[in-house]
Amino acid sequence: MFRSSIEKKLSAVARELKTLRQELGIVEEQLIQVSDEAEESRLRALVSETPLATEEQRESAKAVAAVKRDRDAKLKRLHGLEQKQDALLDRLTAS
């Protein structure tokens, strides 16, 4: 593969990594927020013992799970991009 082609691919991967890391930062902040809200709703459900509080607690737990799935998917994508970047760098140094 031509050196310029590898460099273009590396640049694209680097841009994608930068964007993904920014997105991960946002998702981590969201996870902190929804986790705090879920803990508060869990405590309210324990204290009040009402069906409404229990339902709010379930919904909060679902929100936490959804944000965690999103974070995990982004982390998996980040790992794949880092591997791709490493492979491209190896090919660049070999050429």
Side-chain angles (χ1 to χ4, degrees):
M1 184 177 281
F2 293 109
R3 185 176 182 86
S4 62
S5 176
I6 295 172
E7 289 171 350
K8 286 178 186 177
K9 288 181 182 185
L10 269 171
S11 293
V13 168
R15 283 190 303 274
E16 195 170 349
L17 279 168
K18 181 180 177 183
T19 300
L20 191 54
R21 286 184 179 119
Q22 290 170 342
E23 290 174 6
L24 265 169
I26 292 167
V27 169
E28 289 292 342
E29 290 175 15
Q30 288 174 341
L31 183 56
I32 291 168
Q33 181 67 32
V34 296
S35 294
D36 289 347
E37 290 172 8
E39 181 60 19
E40 287 177 18
S41 67
R42 185 187 72 79
L43 291 173
R44 279 193 304 275
L46 285 173
V47 172
S48 69
E49 297 180 353
T50 64
L52 180 59
T54 302
E55 181 59 28
E56 286 176 357
Q57 188 270 328
R58 270 192 231 116
E59 291 301 316
S60 294
K62 286 180 187 178
V64 170
V67 174
K68 283 182 179 180
R69 281 191 306 273
D70 186 34
R71 180 200 57 193
D72 292 346
K74 287 184 185 324
L75 285 170
K76 184 177 179 180
R77 177 73 180 137
L78 180 72
H79 181 67
L81 284 172
E82 287 172 341
Q83 288 181 330
K84 183 176 181 179
Q85 184 179 44
D86 290 344
L88 287 168
L89 286 169
D90 288 343
R91 287 169 48 191
L92 186 65
T93 57
S95 62

